[in-house]
Amino acid sequence: MRLSTKFSDALHLLVFIDVFSDIKITSDLIAISIKTSPVVVRRLIGSLRDAEIIINDPNNHQPIFAKEPSEITMFDVYLATEGHTALFEIDHDTNAECTVGGNIQEVLNGFYTNAEAAAYKELNRISMQEVIDQILIADKLKKARAAQ
């Protein structure tokens, strides 16, 4: 099973919008950075717009943050892109007569519920401003290393 990258692509898109706010941003340009198609980018923009995370700038029709990046959490973006998709999936088609197969779902459900709650809590703690800042720091470090 292939895992979805909508969440990470949406985070990428949002950081791109902030970092390159001084140029004309198009879905084609964002798609080059994400290495996906402009159609995928437009779908992500639609999801983020529906969630009121971004809006179109009335002056130049480019996507911009609907509020300050410090007021938007990674969890907001997750909900906008992945909805309420479970982070972990339990296989319910196991042999109920087996010691393991008959008990695995109940045991894993408890562990998965706790892990999911911890992940959501952490995502809700991290703002988009933190993500943007870390990207810019990582870029400066990369460039400094390359210059040595």
Side-chain angles (χ1 to χ4, degrees), residues 44-97:
L44 286 172
I45 288 172
S47 296
L48 294 168
R49 189 178 296 123
D50 291 346
E52 299 178 352
I53 293 173
I54 60 173
I55 58 173
N56 277 346
D57 185 329
N59 298 323
N60 59 19
H61 306 291
Q62 292 196 144
I64 58 171
F65 283 90
K67 50 190 168 187
E68 292 299 316
S70 60
E71 298 173 19
I72 300 167
T73 68
M74 287 179 71
F75 189 58
D76 296 328
V77 179
Y78 175 82
L79 290 175
T81 56
E82 299 292 346
H84 297 284
T85 303
L87 293 178
F88 309 104
E89 188 62 43
I90 295 173
D91 183 355
H92 294 283
D93 187 22
T94 58
N95 183 349
E97 302 301 316

Side-chain angles (χ1 to χ4, degrees), residues 1 9 38 41 47 99 104 106 116:
M1 179 180 103
D9 289 347
V41 171
S47 296
T99 300
I104 192 79
E106 183 179 341
E116 193 169 80

Side-chain angles (χ1 to χ4, degrees), residues 24-36:
K24 174 73 173 149
I25 296 174
T26 65
S27 56
D28 290 328
L29 190 58
I30 297 169
I32 291 167
S33 182
I34 297 176
K35 286 190 169 182
T36 192

